[in-house]
Every structure is written in structure tokens, then in C-alpha cells.
């Protein structure tokens, strides 16, 4: 902030001296007038946002949320750099932001590892870094100012608790799971995989096949196709996001099998996007845990506090809901906490912003 104000004043002073040609004693007066007039353009907060890519509907909604929040009209200049799912592109983007002397860097990291060096460079340049969505695993936590995102393992625990309760209610004897993972090393993959593996051990479920779907519809379809060819006993597919689930559903149907509560395979998913919830409404996805992508206003909150030199929480978890096709299971309990399961209706979908 200080850097921005000084730069704006210096630029204004020089412009005034060159163009007006006035006595040095008048400069103070003119500067204050000019500063007032120029405030609209020179006082904008510049934010460099390094985004993972465009792999999912969730990601598009997340980018949109940033763009809507950090608009010119709201007093920001937002520079978005899309990394195409590659960490090296994110590192290069952060270095460009440092070079451009942005006021804040917002990072949605593709994976958790590999950030120490470049985040130290940002810290040395005095630029606060706000991490969103997935976490960074760094040796020194002071390398980032705040993190805002989801408890991915909790999302998984909720879905697994739902499956346990649902299977008990329906008398499902054996659970044979095909597991379609997200991008390896991403917090969303790590948390959702850990949750499933822990539950499988606890409840005696079989994870019969595991393959990455990289959070995309096409790779989700390919993974499901391959797993159906390799294993004939799959009765549950655990997809780590809605796009993978959409691809998996296509592959299951193409193989002549059915999805849904009365079908051959139960589909479980994460995100609860508009399209994901449409699949829940039709019964194609049985249970979907929300992963909320609307981080723009949350990041703005942090930035506003930092601008006022107020303290911010370093870790901010987002509260999230869960949805199911029917009301066989109305709530799940994780520890002492009870989570409501909402049966999806047209109205629930209409109320979704993404
Ligand atoms: O990190 C969040 C995950 O990344 C979302 O579940 C997924 O859709 C996105 O690509």
C-alpha cells in the first residue's frame, strides 16, 4: 500500500513539474489537487492471480468469482495467469508478478509441494501471498499470509459416512469400489483419497481399482472404461469431482450398465456444481459433497483487512453442505458434529451460483 501511494505521488509530482512548469513552492498545492483527481486510476490495488487451469466447472467458477470481485469498478487491477495444470507455469507467473511489483499475489496451487523458493522470493519482495483452494506444503509458514479453502478430508469423511449409512439401510453386503482420483499431489486428491482409504479399512470395503482422472471429464471417462474392463464386480465409483463423475457415468452407460440407487453402480462425487447436482436430481450421482469455489469475496475480505493493517487468520476453512438423491440418509455424524444431507430438488439447483 505504502509502495503504491509513494509511486503515485512521485509520478504525479514529476508530471506536474514537467507539464505545468510552475514554481517549486506551488508544487505541493498542485500535487494535492492532481492526486485527488488521479485517485481513480493510480490508487487501484493490483493483484496477480495464478490459477491452476480450466480442468473443471469448479475451476471456471473459481476464476469467475475472482474476476467479478476484483473488477476495475471495485478498484482493482487483476492479472490472471492460467497455468494449464503445470506448476512450472505457476512459478513463472509468480516471478512475473514480483517483477511487475503487484500489491498482492493470489495463488491457487496445482500441488502442495515445491513452493518454498518462489514464495520466499515473493516474501523478500514484500508482496503478501494469499493461497486459495489447495494448500501449499512449505517449510516456513510465514511464506504465505493466509490460506482460504475446503477441508478436503472432511468432505471425504462425510461422503464415506453417507455410503456406510446408505449401504446399511439398503442391506448392501459387499462394497467394491472403483476410485477415480484427482491430480496427484493436489490437496483435494490427498484429502479425498485419505478419507476413502481410512473408511475402506474401517468398514471392510474393497477398493478394487484406482486410476487418475485428473479432475477432468475425459480422463474420468477413460479411467472408468479401463476399470470396467478390468473388474466386473464394481458396484460403487468414488469420483474426486463432478467432471470425473460425468465422464464415469458416460463410460458406465456405454458399457451397458446402469447408474443410480436401483442400478448396477452407485456414483459418489465432490463439488456439487450445477451440473453435478443435475446428475444428483436424476439419481445418476447418489451423493455429492459441496466444495465451494466462490473465494473472490473471501480473498477480498483478507485484502481489505491487510490494507487497514488489521490482523488476519492464517487458515480459513469454508463451511460446506452435502447433497443426495433421496432421503434414505438425512444426516451424518463426524465426531461430535452432525451434517445435514439435503435431497436435491429443482429449487436447490436454481439456488446454486455455479
Ligand atoms: O481443488 C479443488 C478441486 O479442483 C475441485 O474439486 C475440482 O473440481 C477442481 O478442479
Amino acid at each position: 500500500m505504502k509502495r503504491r501511494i509513494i509511486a503515485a505521488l512521485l509520478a504525479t509530482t514529476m508530471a506536474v513539474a514537467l507539464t505545468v512548469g510552475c514554481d517549486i513552492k506551488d508544487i505541493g498545492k498542485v500535487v494535492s489537487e492532481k492526486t485527488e483527481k488521479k485517485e481513480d486510476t493510480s490508487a487501484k490495488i493490483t493483484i496477480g492471480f495464478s490459477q491452476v487451469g480450466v480442468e473443471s466447472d469448479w475451476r471456471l467458477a473459481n476464476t469467475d468469482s475472482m474476476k467479478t470481485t476484483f473488477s476495475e469498478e471495485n478498484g482493482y487491477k487483476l492479472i490472471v495467469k492460467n497455468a494449464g495444470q503445470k506448476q512450472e507455469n505457476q512459478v513463472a507467473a509468480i516471478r512475473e508478478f514480483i517483477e511487475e511489483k503487484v500489491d498482492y499475489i493470489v495463488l491457487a496451487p496445482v500441488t502442495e509441494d515445491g513452493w518454498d523458493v518462489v514464495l520466499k522470493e515473493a516474501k523478500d519482495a514484500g508482496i503478501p501471498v494469499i493461497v486459495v483452494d489447495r494448500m501449499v506444503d512449505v517449510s516456513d509458514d510465514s511464506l504465505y499470509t493466509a490460506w482460504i479453502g475446503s477441508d478436503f478430508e472432511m468432505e471425504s469423511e462425510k461422503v464415506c459416512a453417507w455410503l456406510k449409512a446408505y449401504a446399511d439401510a439398503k442391506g448392501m453386503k459387499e462394497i467394491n469400489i472403483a476410485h477415480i482420483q484427482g491430480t496427484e499431489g493436489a490437496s483435494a486428491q490427498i484429502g479425498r483419497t485419505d478419507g476413502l482409504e481410512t473408511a475402506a479399512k474401517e468398514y471392510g470395503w474393497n477398493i478394487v481399482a484406482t486410476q487418475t482422472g485428473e479432475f477432468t471429464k475425459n480422463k474420468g471417462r477413460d479411467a472408468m472404461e479401463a476399470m470396467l474392463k478390468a473388474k466386473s464386480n464394481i458396484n460403487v465409483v468414488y469420483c474426486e469431482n463432478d467432471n470425473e463423475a460425468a465422464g464415469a457415468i458416460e463410460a458406465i452407460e456405454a458399457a451397458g450398465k446402469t447408474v443410480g440407487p436401483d442400478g448396477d453402480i452407485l456414483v459418489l462425487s465432490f463439488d456439487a456444481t450445477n451440473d453435478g447436482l443435475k446428475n444428483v436430481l436424476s439419481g445418476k450421482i447418489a451423493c455429492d459433497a459441496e466444495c465451494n469455489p466462490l473465494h473472490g469475496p473471501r480473498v477480498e475480505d483478507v485484502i481489505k483487512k491487510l490494507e487497514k493493517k488489521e490482523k488476519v487468520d492464517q487458515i480459513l476453512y469454508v463451511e460446506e453442505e452435502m447433497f443426495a438423491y433421496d432421503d434414505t440418509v438425512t444426516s451424518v455424524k463426524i465426531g461430535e458434529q452432525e451434517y445435514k444431507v439435503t435431497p436435491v430438488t429443482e429449487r436447490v439447483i436454481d439456488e446454486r451460483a455455479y
Side-chain angles (χ1 to χ4, degrees), residues 65-126:
S65 173
M66 296 295 177
K67 285 185 176 167
T68 313
T69 306
F70 298 112
S71 63
E72 296 270 333
E73 307 84 74
N74 290 347
Y76 300 99
K77 181 179 174 214
L78 179 70
I79 310 162
V80 183
K81 290 201 191 281
N82 191 320
Q85 300 251 53
K86 290 198 169 65
Q87 188 180 42
E88 64 263 32
N89 293 341
Q90 295 204 283
V91 170
I94 292 172
R95 291 199 168 124
E96 280 175 45
F97 295 150
I98 296 170
E99 192 80 8
E100 287 172 43
K101 296 186 170 34
V102 299
D103 298 303
Y104 295 92
I105 291 172
V106 179
L107 168 66
V110 61
T111 50
E112 291 190 353
D113 291 339
W115 298 104
D116 285 84
V117 174
V118 75
L119 292 192
K120 171 87 173 41
E121 290 169 25
K123 187 180 175 185
D124 290 346

Side-chain angles (χ1 to χ4, degrees), residues 55-56 58-59 133-134 152 188 192 215 240-241 271 291:
E55 77 282 4
S56 63
W58 187 102
R59 191 64 54 197
D133 174 28
R134 303 169 187 175
F152 301 109
R192 290 169 190 167
F215 290 125
E240 289 189 0
N241 81 346
D271 283 358
C291 179

Side-chain angles (χ1 to χ4, degrees), residues 120-136:
K120 171 87 173 41
E121 290 169 25
K123 187 180 175 185
D124 290 346
I127 303 174
V129 174
I130 300 162
V131 181
V132 292
D133 174 28
R134 303 169 187 175
M135 284 199 167
V136 289

Side-chain angles (χ1 to χ4, degrees), residues 145-156:
T145 304
W147 169 84
I148 300 163
S150 307
D151 185 337
F152 301 109
E153 191 158 353
M154 173 60 73
E155 291 172 355
S156 170

